[in-house]
Structures are given as structure tokens and as C-alpha cells.
Amino acid sequence: MNDIFATYESEVRSYSRTWPAVFDRALGSYLYDEDGTPYLDFFAGAGALNYGHNNPLLKKKLIEYIERDGVTHGLDQATVAKRDFLATFNEKVLQPRGLNYKTQFPGPTGTNTVESALKLARKITGRESIISFTNAFHGMTLGSLSVTGNSMKRGGAGIPLVHATPMPYDDYFDGQVPDFLYFERMLEDSGSGLNEPAAVIVETLQGEGGINSSRPEWLRGLYDLCQKHGILFIVDDVQMGVGRTGPFFSFEEAGIQPDIVCLSKSIGGYGMPLATTLIKPEHDVWEPGEHNGTFRGNSPAFITAAEAFRQYWSDDALERSTLAKGERVGQVLAEIAEEHGGAIAKGRGLARGLGFEDSNVAGKVSKAAFDRKLLLETSGPSSEVVKVMPPLTVSDEELEQGLQVIRDSVKSVLA
Amino acid sequence: MNDIFATYESEVRSYSRTWPAVFDRALGSYLYDEDGTPYLDFFAGAGALNYGHNNPLLKKKLIEYIERDGVTHGLDQATVAKRDFLATFNEKVLQPRGLNYKTQFPGPTGTNTVESALKLARKITGRESIISFTNAFHGMTLGSLSVTGNSMKRGGAGIPLVHATPMPYDDYFDGQVPDFLYFERMLEDSGSGLNEPAAVIVETLQGEGGINSSRPEWLRGLYDLCQKHGILFIVDDVQMGVGRTGPFFSFEEAGIQPDIVCLSKSIGGYGMPLATTLIKPEHDVWEPGEHNGTFRGNSPAFITAAEAFRQYWSDDALERSTLAKGERVGQVLAEIAEEHGGAIAKGRGLARGLGFEDSNVAGKVSKAAFDRKLLLETSGPSSEVVKVMPPLTVSDEELEQGLQVIRDSVKSVLA
Amino acid sequence: MNDIFATYESEVRSYSRTWPAVFDRALGSYLYDEDGTPYLDFFAGAGALNYGHNNPLLKKKLIEYIERDGVTHGLDQATVAKRDFLATFNEKVLQPRGLNYKTQFPGPTGTNTVESALKLARKITGRESIISFTNAFHGMTLGSLSVTGNSMKRGGAGIPLVHATPMPYDDYFDGQVPDFLYFERMLEDSGSGLNEPAAVIVETLQGEGGINSSRPEWLRGLYDLCQKHGILFIVDDVQMGVGRTGPFFSFEEAGIQPDIVCLSKSIGGYGMPLATTLIKPEHDVWEPGEHNGTFRGNSPAFITAAEAFRQYWSDDALERSTLAKGERVGQVLAEIAEEHGGAIAKGRGLARGLGFEDSNVAGKVSKAAFDRKLLLETSGPSSEVVKVMPPLTVSDEELEQGLQVIRDSVKSVLA
Amino acid sequence: MNDIFATYESEVRSYSRTWPAVFDRALGSYLYDEDGTPYLDFFAGAGALNYGHNNPLLKKKLIEYIERDGVTHGLDQATVAKRDFLATFNEKVLQPRGLNYKTQFPGPTGTNTVESALKLARKITGRESIISFTNAFHGMTLGSLSVTGNSMKRGGAGIPLVHATPMPYDDYFDGQVPDFLYFERMLEDSGSGLNEPAAVIVETLQGEGGINSSRPEWLRGLYDLCQKHGILFIVDDVQMGVGRTGPFFSFEEAGIQPDIVCLSKSIGGYGMPLATTLIKPEHDVWEPGEHNGTFRGNSPAFITAAEAFRQYWSDDALERSTLAKGERVGQVLAEIAEEHGGAIAKGRGLARGLGFEDSNVAGKVSKAAFDRKLLLETSGPSSEVVKVMPPLTVSDEELEQGLQVIRDSVKSVLA
């Protein structure tokens, strides 16, 4: 029955190769294949399913909305659904955190928000160059790709990707070099050859790059450096935002207020496409329609997003639960790492990983876990890290069950 | 009540300025504002709502799918929903037309499919340069923007958009110049300075560019020229595909088989984000995961898309009806144009337009129509064309009613 | 004895392949090989030897200067030699023609002046894009190469050459298309996709491109178009200036005053490297040292240049003689062309050529001429044109002798 | 009398502002202004006059050549003069050093040779990106400018300079960071985002960059890194070659054999324009004429160059003398630096400098020296270094005299 995919779908498909099952239904932490076999999902749509699959609280509102023929496709028209999104987002998320942003709907995917952020930063500053970081991942369209590190992805562009300069991410040199030594020196030396940057774009924790977590003080140092040099500060929170690391925004712990924030994936709540670009009001220099797109107003996703704000961000319960579960995952991964030389536990919140020296191990662990009906993905430049990213709504039992499978899978590979 | 939008939404918003209403519900050819006032929609989500708003036939399947917890977010995993999409698309659309394409899901928006097409064309040929056309529109991310004509949109990039050369679209010189004289001469002259192109990307009818329809013989000539010179032929059918001009693909009349076809907007059927890149099997040289994205597998849209194939493309009823309604629209627009000097009726199928010499007129007509509760958008480099794009499912009564409003609106402006 | 070249000199060498002789001495219209065999030179250093080889009038001043230890290498210091150049150039060349330019010494080669002109035009306008022409040739460094047409030369860059758009040169379509139809339409249409140009760079007669001569009215039309659209007008007079077409500047006949003029080759008079960039005073916005170079002040060349101004441009004798000799060449070439179907006489002044339909013929004619001790080069995208460019100081006897060799050579090839 | 320059010469002129005199004659270590006042020249044409002004040994051969009407302008034809250059260069310079290079004449200036080197490296490798270094200077045409560090010079390009990535030069971090830590890590990490480089281009001692001398072991380490990663190694020896640091090539001490070497400035011997690109035979993949230029065969410069090889490079006398004089200069500069806090003696051979913490000092010292009839230039990103570069042929008396002026000038400024 897989013939259909092999025959009709492009060779570019990838997850269907990692997990050779045909999935049919999904609920909470589980995906079910067409035979009804449940798979515990510790990947959560690459961070798009923080509230779990088909979250019943959101589903209720979604069906109500569809049933009553609420606007589905709204371009960037004013709609009741969008208004509710904007009001609720400000009330539940931004204002309690002392943040003041205008919201752009730049098209419903991560790469749309990144492209809009880069365009806006260039418009504001009149400069072209962007500072990105080693092992960054920001998306597959040309602008986003130019700030992405992975050489295979970059190669796919087919044209030289220029206009961006990679800088070392936190701890890139294992502590051998003071933070920002290189970046700061290049900025201050008018003979360095560094093109004057419009902006820095940074993930506070690199998911695709290998679950590399930056320290709050590093992030703050980078932020201060940008402030000092008039460089805009963009946080790509597409994968790490919406609670993945605990707080709604992954940069909260660092106590900074980025100029522009990119959100997508879990912002829609129910796994439907949505993205927002948050812009400090003084930077909102767009002309009407200067950046547009057909699916900016994916209204069903506004509905589920707003309901998610109400359900999960009216208090700090989810944040605390995520941090607690994250601690537990971290503890188990550390134990596993200790048992097996050459492994290392990485990450924070519920964005965790287990890195292996031998870059073949992670893929084998993922495969062993799949045999045990657990979905785990790898990341990192050589796919050397097993990514552990369950839904934030995972139950303690599911968590323990998944962690045990990880333990067993690692053991089976390294035994 | 609009305060929320002015306060919280970015200045980039545009349709909400053209149509200052807050929409709540939608059905068929109508949008309803929050007071229940109906607006007849002759824009159809910029071509994303060919089957009308919240099409009941598709809605039924959508709700069933959500109710039974079908997978919502499926990355690019194999799912029952995607398999149904692929099988039905091949059975109902491709095979009856003698077309053989592999389908890539490149991310759910028009610009995603265009970016994937350009990347693939560059990979296949090892060349960088793309031939685009005057007044083309392909999207807002950097790759798509570089093949887009509009200078305001291009300016938004903030970096020089290079790697593409615009060629004159059909009838750009009002018949003064033989077709392809310029392009062909540049290709054949090794001293012309034209960078050797990887591909041509073309819309068979330019929607955003001002409802400029190319003749089938022009398209065929372009196709032959590309074949002769080993240049890949990409049709961007994002806005004009899925029946907008009558046949499923807008290039069918020309009798050509493009190397790559970009689809989005109405492909999902219900106005939810979806896009596909169709690739001739011999060109499907992607590495697994070389182009990816979080929302490639927007499964609810697979469900509505497949149902739409079954409902609307099992026979030629929709195609014939679209052509007939299109004729009717064309007839009325021609009458209006005749009544008012300096106006011109444009387009084919249900992608129609009314162009005005004075570029201020179209905007005023759109405004006058809005006052009469009809939604009309303008297009063209100076927004000089009123775009007439009702849902293909518009009833004859609705059509006549809308055409009458257009008549009245033009009269009110030009009187 | 040629072993030295084959062993030690790079494969890039080319003229030494066309003319397999080792030259030792040169005087007037003749080069002599090491055996003393004279070769009549109808190439004149690709236009660098308009006053002939080792012109005795200039040689006298050159030797005096060297003997008395005049400054040889003067960076861009103020020197007596440079002052004399500037004063004489203004007195003898610019002022009599009603031209007012400031002179930059941008480095002593053609490509240096072109690069400086492009940089300055971009600085003045704040725009990046340049309009070049089909079959243009402007030099081998990256900036100049990007405005050059030849695909083999362009390929040598090894990176995509962007930031320039080629437009059709005069008569590119053999009269089928009104002048500037394409360019003007692209400029006026804000949706054309043409990047807004900083400048046009044009040769009034394309030497390397195949002795394509533009009509004065075409040049004037182009100039007017640029004025109208605020585009700077750069004439590359490196090969066609300094009297090659009759008047000192090749654009005089068109009655225009370019914003920037590039001169090199014969400007030094004696075949030593020198180049100047002429800039309308209002455009001289360079910062001190913003463009520099070691050999800007090649003082011996200032000496011979200034003497050449005095000797050859104090009256119109040279101009009249060039025009008369040019007429004679044109007449003979036309006769040859008439005798041989498929040939065409091209050019004006003493920049003449004989084009052949069969692109192999020109190379054979050049070879046949070399066997008869006449140096002729080919040009054009397929090297299909025999270039006839004797020194302007060629005597009538030498001219007739050379023309007879051309006649015989063509006959020998086409017989 | 300076009016001529202010009126007729572009504002870009710079040395004539630093040294406001009108120079007329020159001999050995002296320039004379038009009143006959001698100026001791410790700049030596920015390294173009290593054998002094109008060197009598070379002058003799030059005048003989001109007198006997030796070919002056030889395009890239085979000439007796060029053959002599090639043979003598190989006999006196390359072979004794165990070096095997083919020589390209890429046009007679430093930027011509750099552009040819970059083009060739890209052609050989099929890659676009070049690694340059902080504070590098390679020239003013677009290709060379893209690998140059100085932000003012870069700004002059008017387009984004991409396709090159700057790496830290030796000791850029004052010993805080292991050599190549950054470069090596970026190369080895497939996720670093560094575009795969075609070549490294490096000066062994940065003249314009502020007399920054790299250590032989650093250069060797860089060379090894390039070998390991298949990156071509280009040495730009335009300013530091031809004996400036002692040995003919500045990289000899490091014991390496670069893939490509760029020479210009003093290679011609007499201050006339000439440049060569030295290419390892296996890399000489140029097509005939793929890179060309009018003044590649500046024959008088071949004559003086070849004579200079014979006179100065038949034994190691010049090398030893340069090293000895360099030691003396270094000693005096160290003494001056010691006397004045915040100053530092820099450089090696006769490429020496005195750097000041306060970046205004160097310019004042240069001015004070000019008042004392000594020509000194500044360099470095903030012009904070006084450059001390007398001709290699400077006499001991002249050297002491100049050093005394430097002492006095520094004292007068810092007193």
C-alpha cells in the first residue's frame, strides 16, 4: 500500500522513510497507524504540537467554528477570529510579560516569518548583511536558507547564498574563547572586512542544529552588543517558542526584548499552519501590502490559537509543568549518558537531546525506538543527536514509558 | 471595534483597508460581517476559493475527519489522508489529462512551491539564472520575489534581487514585435550578455500583473523555445490552476507539458493552506529532506482537496460551467468597456478584468462596489485593472447581480 | 626559440598563437620580428597605438624626460608631468569641444577606468544595477566583466555576474523593432521587474563586439532616455576614443555630453599604460582615496600623452585625415563584400571591419593575411568579423598595400 | 600653480593632499619638487620602487631599448623583451628557489593580478567563496575589493560585496585564541554555514592593513590547513614581494609553495606598470584569451624587470642588505616606541612601521616629517601606523638621516 507514495510522491519525502508506517489517527501523545497500532510521539510535529495531537479543548472550538461557517480563508481581512486572536494574545501573553509588539501575519509557515523579519530589518536599517550562527536553522526559502548553517540544505539553493555571515554560537569553542571575542572585534575594527550588519538572527536553543542551548548570559551579552552597535535583534522562536522551553517565549529567562520575534509551529495550537512576526512598534515601517500572501489569515488556526492562550497561558501551570517534566527528562538522559561513555545530555525545558560521539548511533537509536513504537527524531550537523521533544501535555506515565524506551533503545544499540 | 487591528496588527495589513468591515461568517459566494450584512465575493480569496466559501460538500468530509481524530499535523509522514490525496489527484486530474508528475509538498503556500521549483531547476541544470516575465507575480520570499515584477514588492527585499532576467510577456509591445524576438536573439547570441538560464517561470494568465492572458500559441512558442535550448519550463499555476480559467490546469489549452508545475491556493479546496510542486519523474532529483518544512502535511486540506477532486473533476461539468460563466462575464465587461472609452475587457475563464487608462479609476470602482456590498480587488502595476474573480461555483443569479453592481459602480465613477 | 613561451608562459596567452612570430622592434605602422621581417600592423595594439608604434615625435619627449630623471612613478602625487597633462588636455581637447570634465586617474588600464566609472555611478545614485548592451566589451575584472557580453569571458568569472542587464544595441533586430522600445517600456512599467538602473554604459562603436557602429541618432535617443529617467550616461571610449573614429571622442557626432567618459589605450600616446575617467564636475563626489591604485601616475605616459595632444589635436588635420582614410577603407571593404556574397563592410572612421556569414572565414582571412605579413585581428561573438584598424598615422601607401593584402587574403580563402 | 590640480583633477586624489608639493625629478632615494628641493622618500611608491627612483642601471637599458625602437606595446604577443623576462625570471628567481610556476601577464596592475588569481581559483575548484583576512588590502576593482577589509574602500563599491568571508589574521586576538581555531572549526562543521571556499588569499605582511607581519609558523599552519581541505592558497605578494621583506618572495621563510602568487609594483623594476600571476603548472587551466587586457605586454617594463633580476638577484647581496637595514630600522623604531608609551614597532625586512595607540598621532608624524622633507605614509584601519618603507637601495647615510627625522618628528608631535 506504500506504493502510492513511492510512485506518486517526490523523492524529497523524508519522515516517511524514518518512520515507515501509514498514520491515520492521532490523539494527545499518540499517533495511530492504519492498523490501529499506537506510536508514542516524542517529536510532536517538530515542535508544532506542543499541546498534543488534536487537543480536545481546542478541537471543540474548532468544530464549533467550522460548523457555524466562520470565515475559513480570510486573506488579511479583518475578521472576528483574527480580532479574538490579537486581543487574547495581547491579554494573555504579551501584556503579562511587559512586552509591546505589533503582530504581522506574514504567511503561515516558519520560513514566511523569518523572511518577513529579514526584509523588515533590511528596510529599517538600509543595510543588507545579516549575522547568523553556526548550526542555525531558519527555513528553506532563499532568504531563510542564507542564514541556515546546514551545508546540504544550503547546497539545495543552487545559487551562492551570500548576504549573511555565520558567527560562533554559544560554547562553539568549548569555552576556549571569551564570548563574542570574534564578533565584537570584527564589528569594532573598520578594516575587518565584515559587512555592516542589519540584524542578528538567533535561536535561543538550536533544535535542528543539535539541541544546543545558549546560556541566558550569552544571549544577554549578544543583545547588549547589538544594542551598542545599532544592530537589530531577531529571535527565531518558531520551534522553541510557545512554551517549549518552559516560558512562553524562550528568551524570557534572559530578560531581553528582541526587536523582532518569529513565531510559527505551535502558535496555531492545533497543528494547522500559522505564523506571526512580532515587531516593536517603532520598527513597524511596512507599507500596506509590502509583504503579503494568500494564507496569512488561516482563520481556523486563529480560533485554536486563541483558545490555547486562554486554556494554557492564563496562569503559569503549563510553564511549571514543562520545567518539571523537562528536569525529569534531563535527569534520565544524564543517567543514560553516564552509563554510556561518549554520550551527552543536552537542552532545557522539554527541548532535550542525547548527543553521541559516534554520529551513527543516534540514527540507530531512533530506529530502535521506532521498533518499540516510540517516535524519536535526530538532529545536528551529522544527525548525531537524538531529539526528545514530547508534547508539553504529555502525562507523567507517557513520559516515563517513553524514557524507558529510550533507555532500552540506547542499550540495544550500544550493547 | 477596529481599534484592535489598528493597535495590535502591523501596518502591513492591506485588504482590511480596502474593505473596512469585520467579517465573521462565509458561505458559498458570500462573506458576512459581524452585523450579518452579506457581501458578494468576487475576489474569492485571490483565487483560493474556487469552490466557494466553506463549501458544504467539502465541509462534511472535513468535520468527519476532525471528529474522528484523523491526523491533523503530519509533517511529511505517510498518512491515510495524503495517500488518498495522491491517489485521487492522479486518478481524477493527472491521468485523464495524460500527465505524469510526481508530487512534492513543499510547504503549504504559493511562495513555498515557487521556491522549491526554482531550487530544483537550478539543481537539475547546474545554472543559476531564471527567466521571468514583465508583471509576473510569484511570491514574497526572496527567491520568489526575485522573479516578481512589481517594483514596490521588490523594493521590500532590501537586497538587490539578481539571478533573474525579465522578458516581455505576451503582447507586451502591443503587437509591434514578433514573439520571442528578444529572448530568442539573446539566447542564440553568445555575446548577448544574457546569463544562461536554468528555467523559465511563467503564469499563463497574470492575475496580480493585471489579468494579462497569454495566447496558447505564445505559450507553445515559449515552450518550444525552451525545449530547443534545454531550458526547464515552469508554470506557476498557483492562482490560475484548479479550474480558474476553465480546465484544471491553465496550460491545457496550449497542449504543453511543463517540466514543473506550481499549485497552491484552491488546491486544498476549502481555503486551508496547501501547495504542491509537480515534477516530471525524470527531474525528481531531490535528496530526501533537501527541501523541507513543518506544514507540508496539512492533513485536513488533503481531505478537502481529495473530496474536491472527486466532486468537481470526475467529469467536465465544472470546466464547461466555468467557461460559460466566463463568457458571460467577458460579454458584460466588453459592453461596459464599450460604453466607457479607455476601458478594456481582459482575461479568460473566470479570471477576468476591466482595465482603465486612468489608473485611479479602478480603485474608485472597487470602492463603489464595496459600498454596494460587492468585493472587487484591483491589480496591475498601477492597480489600474478591476479584477473579476467570483468563485467558480457562483450561481447565475449571483453572477448577474454582481455584474450589475460592476456596471453601476463603473457608471457612478465615470459619470 | 618559442619553447620559452610554451614552457614558462600561461596557457592564457592568445595573440602569440594568432601571430606566431617573435617581435623585436616596431616603428610607425610596422612591427619587425627578430629576423627583421616587417609586418604591417592593421591592429594597432587593439586601438592603443593610434599614433603608430614608437611615434618619433613622442619618443623624443619621452627620452628627454627619462634622461633628465623626470619622476617615473608618481602614485597620485602632484607632478610637473601630470600638471602638463591636465592643462594640455583641457586646452587642446576639452575646451575646444565645449566639454567640462574633471579627470580621475583610476589606474592605467581600460578595466580600471570602467570599474571606477561603475563605482562612481552607484555612489552618485545609490542604485546598484547597470544597463549594458549586447556584445559589449568593457574589461576582465569583475565589475567590468559583469557588463561585458561575451559568454566565454563571462564564464571565466567563476561566480554569477549579476547587477547588470543587457539591452539590445543599435540595430540588434535588423530594423524590426523601434529603437528603445524594450528599454523604455521596461523603465516606464513599474511592474517590469527591471531593477532601477544607476547608469547605462555604452560603446558608440563596439570593437570587440564585431565592429558594430551605432547611429548618432540612436546614441542621442539613448542619451535623452537616460536624462528623462535620471540614469547616468557612461561612454566607454577606451577603444574608440582618441580619434579612432575621426573626432577625439567618438560621441562628438551625436552632440551629447556623457556624465562619465572612460579613456585608456591611446590616451597615453606611446603605447604605455594610462587611463582616465572623465567626470562632470557635479558628479565628482569621490572621497579622497576612495578609489586608488599604485600606477595611477605613470608619468612617462603623461609626457607622451601631452605631446600627442599638442602635435595631433591643435587643429583638425588628424581628424580629417582619419575620416578620409576611413572612407577609403570603407570603400574597399564594400567592394570586397560585394564581390563575395555573405560579406558585409562595417564600421566608421578607422574602426572598420568585414563581417562574414560563415564564422570560420574571418579567422582564415586573418591567417592568410599573416602569411602575407599583415596583422589583422577578428572580433564578434563568433570571431566572424575581420577587424581593420591601422594606426591613424598610416600613410596612404601603407594603407593601399594593406588593403590589397586584405583583398588577396579574402580571395584566397573564399576562392 | 596648484590650481590646475584643484580645478581639473578629481576629488579622489589623495597623496597630493598628504604631500602638498609638485614633484618634478627623482633619483634613488629622493624626489625633487619643481624648485629643486629634495625630499627623502621613505614610501618608495607604496613598494613599487624597491630599487629606488630611476635606478641608473635599469635606466641605461630602458633608454637603449627605446632608442633602438624595441616594441613598446606588445599586447600579449611573443616579443624578444618578454622572452628575456621569462627566461631571466626563471633562471634568477624561480629555479634557485626550487619553484616551478607558469607566468601569466594579467594586465599591469596589482588589482589585475588579484582578479586573475581569484577567477582562476574559482575556475579550478568550481566554488565561489574566497577566504580573506581582517585588514587585508588587495585592490580597488570589484573582485579585489570583495577580499579587502577597509570599510571606506568597500563602501565605494556601491554594491554588496559578497562571495568572500574574512578570517582573523595572525595575532588578531593578541594571543587569546589558538591559531585557526575559528577557521578550522567552521571548515570541519558541516553545519557552520561557511560557504565552501575555493581559495585563501593572504598577504604575509599586511602593508595597507597596518604593517601586520604574520609569523612563518602561522603561514605554514594556514598552508597546511588549506592543503588538508583542498583549498587553493594564494599569496598576494604585490607589495611585499620582490625583496621588500628580504628574500625575493615574502613567503620563502615559511617554506611553502603557494598555488598562485600575485606580483606587481616592484616587479617591473623602474616604477612602470607591470604585473604577473604565477601559477603552479597543474593549475594553469586557462583557455587562450579567457582573461586578457591591452597592457599585458608593457615591454619597457620587461626590459627593466629582467635587468633588475640580473643586477639584484644573481646573488644574495640585496637580500642580506635588506635584512640588515631592516634590523637597523627595527632597532630605531623600537627605541622610539620605548621612549613614547603607547607606541609599538612593527614589521620585518624593510617593511616597517610605528603604531600609535592614539590614531591621530601617525598622521601628525607624517606631516611633521614632510615639513622636514621626509615622505612617510600612514596605514592601518584608522591610519594609526607610520609606514617606514625606504627603497631597498637606500644608503646607510640616507637611512640614518631618515630615521633621525622620524625620531624628531615623533618627538615634536608627542612632546
Side-chain angles (χ1 to χ4, degrees), chain C residues 17-295:
Chain C
R17 301 174 195 260
T18 311
W19 301 319
V22 179
F23 297 101
D24 184 24
R25 290 188 316 111
L27 191 62
S29 304
Y30 286 93
L31 275 158
Y32 300 85
D33 71 12
E34 56 185 332
D35 302 323
T37 309
Y39 290 78
L40 185 55
D41 182 2
F42 269 31
F43 187 49
L49 294 165
N50 285 358
Y51 310 118
H53 287 274
N54 298 334
N55 184 297
L57 299 170
L58 312 183
K59 174 178 169 177
K60 186 165 166 286
K61 295 289 178 181
L62 174 62
I63 286 186
E64 275 174 28
Y65 187 73
I66 297 173
E67 289 282 15
R68 77 170 188 83
D69 283 323
V71 168
T72 298
H73 182 279
L75 288 161
D76 80 337
Q77 291 155 296
T79 60
V80 169
K82 192 204 276 182
R83 190 172 57 201
D84 186 37
F85 175 96
L86 287 167
T88 313
F89 183 54
N90 274 274
E91 182 199 336
K92 299 294 185 186
V93 176
L94 295 182
Q95 285 157 13
R97 286 162 180 81
L99 296 170
N100 185 14
Y101 288 114
K102 294 188 81 174
T103 297
Q104 175 183 7
F105 301 99
T109 73
T111 200
N112 290 126
T113 169
V114 169
E115 293 260 350
S116 70
L118 299 181
K119 285 165 69 174
L120 184 60
R122 284 164 168 149
K123 176 166 193 185
I124 293 166
T125 60
R127 301 177 213 135
E128 288 100 354
S129 186
I130 305 287
I131 297 296
S132 57
F133 289 90
T134 51
N135 290 298
F137 179 90
H138 297 289
M140 288 290 104
T141 52
L142 276 191
S144 304
L145 206 46
S146 71
V147 289
T148 289
N150 187 284
S151 59
M152 189 266 266
K153 308 279 187 202
R154 290 175 73 82
I159 55 170
L161 294 172
V162 295
H163 302 301
T165 305
M167 286 286 158
Y169 195 68
D170 190 15
D171 202 33
Y172 194 64
F173 301 118
D174 312 314
Q176 289 181 77
V177 177
D179 293 346
F180 314 116
L181 177 67
Y182 187 65
F183 189 17
E184 191 158 17
R185 188 83 169 75
M186 297 288 275
L187 280 174
E188 286 172 359
D189 178 1
S190 69
S192 70
L194 183 74
N195 290 330
E196 202 185 356
V200 149
I201 185 164
V202 66
E203 302 153 283
T204 73
L205 189 159
Q206 299 179 323
E208 300 305 304
I211 306 292
N212 307 315
S213 181
S214 65
R215 293 159 300 143
E217 57 267 31
W218 182 84
L219 213 58
R220 210 152 43 230
L222 180 64
Y223 182 73
D224 291 346
L225 192 65
C226 287
Q227 299 266 79
K228 183 173 158 196
H229 288 274
I231 300 167
L232 293 176
F233 193 88
I234 305 170
V235 169
D236 178 344
D237 234 4
V238 166
Q239 185 162 153
M240 292 304 147
V242 195
R244 174 52 58 186
T245 68
F248 188 89
F249 294 108
S250 73
F251 56 78
E252 293 179 32
E253 196 182 349
I256 59 175
Q257 301 206 352
D259 296 293
I260 302 176
V261 181
C262 299
L263 291 175
S264 182
K265 292 195 187 262
S266 280
I267 187 68
Y270 202 75
M272 292 181 301
L274 192 66
T276 64
T277 308
L278 308 183
I279 305 164
K280 278 195 179 165
E282 64 268 31
H283 294 321
D284 185 24
V285 299
W286 286 116
E287 293 295 312
E290 197 175 0
H291 180 97
N292 63 18
T294 297
F295 293 114

Side-chain angles (χ1 to χ4, degrees), chain A residues 114-186:
Chain A
V114 169
E115 293 259 351
S116 71
L118 300 181
K119 285 165 70 172
L120 184 61
R122 284 165 168 148
K123 178 167 191 184
I124 293 166
T125 60
R127 301 177 214 135
E128 288 101 354
S129 186
I130 305 287
I131 297 296
S132 58
F133 288 91
T134 51
N135 289 299
F137 180 91
H138 298 289
M140 288 289 103
T141 52
L142 276 192
S144 304
L145 207 45
S146 72
V147 288
T148 290
N150 186 284
S151 59
M152 189 267 266
K153 308 280 186 203
R154 291 175 72 83
I159 55 170
L161 294 172
V162 294
H163 303 301
T165 304
M167 286 286 157
Y169 195 68
D170 190 16
D171 201 33
Y172 195 63
F173 300 119
D174 313 312
Q176 288 181 79
V177 177
D179 293 346
F180 314 115
L181 177 68
Y182 188 65
F183 188 17
E184 191 157 19
R185 187 83 171 77
M186 297 289 274

Side-chain angles (χ1 to χ4, degrees), chain C residues 1 4-17 19 21-27 31 34 43 45-46 48-49 53-54 59 62-63 65-73 75-80 82-83 86-87 90 95 101-105 108-109 111-112 115 119 122 127-128 137 140-143 145 152-153 155-160 163 264-265 270-274 279 284 286-296 298 375, chain D residues 1 4-17 19 21-27 31 34 43 45-46 48-49 53-54 59 62-63 65-73 75-80 82-83 86-87 90 95 101-105 108-109 111-112 115 119 122 127-128 137 140-143 145 152-153 155-160 163 264-265 270-274 279 284 286-296 298 375:
Chain C
M1 257 343 238
I4 293 284
F5 298 103
T7 310
Y8 292 145
E9 192 176 1
S10 163
E11 294 301 317
V12 79
R13 68 194 185 281
S14 68
Y15 287 118
S16 58
R17 301 174 195 260
W19 301 319
V22 179
F23 297 101
D24 184 24
R25 290 188 316 111
L27 191 62
L31 275 158
E34 56 185 332
F43 187 49
L49 294 165
H53 287 274
N54 298 334
K59 174 178 169 177
L62 174 62
I63 286 186
Y65 187 73
I66 297 173
E67 289 282 15
R68 77 170 188 83
D69 283 323
V71 168
T72 298
H73 182 279
L75 288 161
D76 80 337
Q77 291 155 296
T79 60
V80 169
K82 192 204 276 182
R83 190 172 57 201
L86 287 167
N90 274 274
Q95 285 157 13
Y101 288 114
K102 294 188 81 174
T103 297
Q104 175 183 7
F105 301 99
T109 73
T111 200
N112 290 126
E115 293 260 350
K119 285 165 69 174
R122 284 164 168 149
R127 301 177 213 135
E128 288 100 354
F137 179 90
M140 288 290 104
T141 52
L142 276 191
L145 206 46
M152 189 266 266
K153 308 279 187 202
I159 55 170
H163 302 301
S264 182
K265 292 195 187 262
Y270 202 75
M272 292 181 301
L274 192 66
I279 305 164
D284 185 24
W286 286 116
E287 293 295 312
E290 197 175 0
H291 180 97
N292 63 18
T294 297
F295 293 114
R296 288 165 290 174
N298 185 19
L375 304 186
Chain D
M1 252 347 236
I4 293 283
F5 299 103
T7 310
Y8 293 144
E9 191 176 1
S10 163
E11 294 301 318
V12 79
R13 67 195 185 279
S14 68
Y15 287 118
S16 58
R17 301 174 195 260
W19 302 319
V22 179
F23 296 102
D24 184 24
R25 289 189 316 111
L27 191 62
L31 275 158
E34 56 185 333
F43 187 48
L49 294 164
H53 287 275
N54 298 333
K59 174 178 171 180
L62 174 62
I63 287 186
Y65 187 74
I66 297 172
E67 289 283 15
R68 78 171 186 83
D69 282 323
V71 169
T72 298
H73 183 279
L75 289 161
D76 79 338
Q77 291 154 297
T79 60
V80 169
K82 192 203 276 184
R83 189 173 57 202
L86 287 168
N90 274 273
Q95 285 157 11
Y101 288 114
K102 294 188 82 174
T103 297
Q104 174 183 8
F105 301 99
T109 74
T111 200
N112 290 126
E115 293 259 351
K119 285 165 71 173
R122 284 163 168 150
R127 302 178 212 133
E128 289 100 355
F137 180 90
M140 288 289 104
T141 52
L142 276 191
L145 207 45
M152 189 266 266
K153 307 281 186 202
I159 55 169
H163 303 301
S264 183
K265 292 199 188 258
Y270 202 74
M272 293 181 302
L274 191 67
I279 306 164
D284 185 25
W286 286 116
E287 294 294 312
E290 196 174 1
H291 180 97
N292 63 18
T294 297
F295 292 115
R296 287 165 289 172
N298 186 19
L375 304 185

Side-chain angles (χ1 to χ4, degrees), chain A residues 54 72 76 153 265 289 294, chain B residues 14 54 72 83 153 265 289 294:
Chain A
N54 298 333
T72 298
D76 80 337
K153 308 280 186 203
K265 292 198 187 258
T294 296
Chain B
S14 69
N54 298 333
T72 298
R83 189 173 57 201
K153 308 279 187 204
K265 292 198 188 260
T294 296

Side-chain angles (χ1 to χ4, degrees), chain B residues 234-277:
Chain B
I234 304 170
V235 169
D236 178 344
D237 232 5
V238 166
Q239 185 162 151
M240 293 304 147
V242 196
R244 175 52 58 187
T245 68
F248 188 88
F249 294 109
S250 74
F251 56 79
E252 292 179 32
E253 196 183 349
I256 58 176
Q257 301 205 352
D259 295 293
I260 303 176
V261 181
C262 299
L263 291 176
S264 184
K265 292 198 188 260
S266 279
I267 187 69
Y270 202 73
M272 293 181 301
L274 191 67
T276 64
T277 308

